[in-house]
Each structure stands twice: as structure tokens, then as C-alpha cells.
């Protein structure tokens, strides 16, 4: 399971030992974490921030997979984020009243 604080994410194993800790400020994230989703099969953590961005991290080594946010599309911070079981899609919802579904090919809306 995964938990977050304002600027960090910790993933715990089945014996409740911290398997990885990600300090998001050290990887370029400038805003506090508002939500997260961990996809165990793909070993990725999606983090929604108060800066209206979604970042993607490796749960194996804590690296910032894309060297920056993959989505910056809500007019308010994401309240919830969830990964699709296929591992390539995810959904965000925010106070702006929109539910958005994203995939690797569609990370913007015009």
C-alpha cells in the first residue's frame, strides 16, 4: 500500500516495511501532494499536486519517469486519481467539476 504526506510518498510491503520512500521535492515537484495512485503491476505511482499537475514515478527506485509532469489540465488541484488496470490509462477528478480520462497517447485536451 502507498501513503503520502505533503512532499513525500512511501510504499509499504505486505509486512508493513517501507519498501521505497520518494521525496517529491528532490525530483522537481514544486507543489504539495493532493492525491496518489499506485499501480502495482506496472510499478508506477501517479501523484496529483496542488499545482494542478500529475507526475509519474517508478515505485522500484523513486525516479521521476518523465522528467516533469505528464498532465497539467485541471483549473484546480486533482482531488482524486486512479489508474486503470491496463496500466496505460488513468482518470482524474477535481473541484473544477471535470472527470478526465487520460492515456499515454492523450495527455492534453484542446
Amino acid at each position: 500500500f502507498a501513503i503520502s504526506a505533503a512532499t513525500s510518498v512511501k510504499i509499504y510491503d505486505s509486512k508493513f516495511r517501507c519498501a521505497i520512500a520518494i521525496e517529491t521535492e528532490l525530483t522537481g515537484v514544486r507543489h504539495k501532494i493532493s492525491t496518489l495512485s499506485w499501480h502495482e503491476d506496472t510499478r508506477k505511482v501517479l501523484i496529483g499536486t496542488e499545482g494542478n499537475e500529475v507526475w509519474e514515478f517508478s515505485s522500484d527506485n523513486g525516479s521521476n519517469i518523465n522528467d516533469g509532469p505528464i498532465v497539467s489540465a485541471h483549473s484546480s488541484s486533482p482531488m482524486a486519481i486512479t489508474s486503470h488496470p491496463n496500466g496505460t490509462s488513468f482518470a482524474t477528478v477535481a473541484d473544477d467539476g471535470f472527470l478526465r480520462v487520460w492515456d499515454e497517447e492523450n495527455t492534453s485536451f484542446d
Side-chain angles (χ1 to χ4, degrees):
F1 67 96
I3 62 170
S4 71
T7 60
S8 65
V9 173
K10 292 183 179 181
I11 298 173
Y12 291 85
D13 65 18
S14 61
K15 295 183 180 177
F16 300 103
R17 294 180 298 215
C18 184
I20 186 101
I22 303 168
E23 295 296 330
T24 58
E25 286 182 323
L26 302 176
T27 60
V29 179
R30 298 174 310 278
H31 304 283
K32 292 181 180 179
I33 297 168
S34 60
T35 185
L36 71 84
S37 176
W38 177 39
H39 193 280
E40 188 173 9
D41 293 339
T42 62
R43 311 294 297 162
K44 294 179 182 177
V45 178
L46 295 173
I47 297 171
T49 72
E50 290 180 359
N52 312 335
E53 300 169 332
V54 175
W55 296 68
E56 186 177 40
F57 289 88
S58 166
S59 64
D60 288 329
N61 60 20
S63 65
N64 180 344
I65 294 172
N66 298 288
D67 296 322
I70 56 173
V71 171
S72 182
H74 284 280
S75 61
S76 64
S77 61
M79 294 175 51
I81 188 169
T82 189
S83 300
H84 188 279
N86 69 14
T88 63
S89 303
F90 63 96
T92 58
V93 64
D95 276 339
D96 62 8
F98 290 98
L99 166 70
R100 295 200 168 102
V101 179
W102 310 92
D103 61 42
E104 290 179 347
E105 302 299 318
N106 176 25
T107 58
S108 66
F109 70 98
D110 298 319

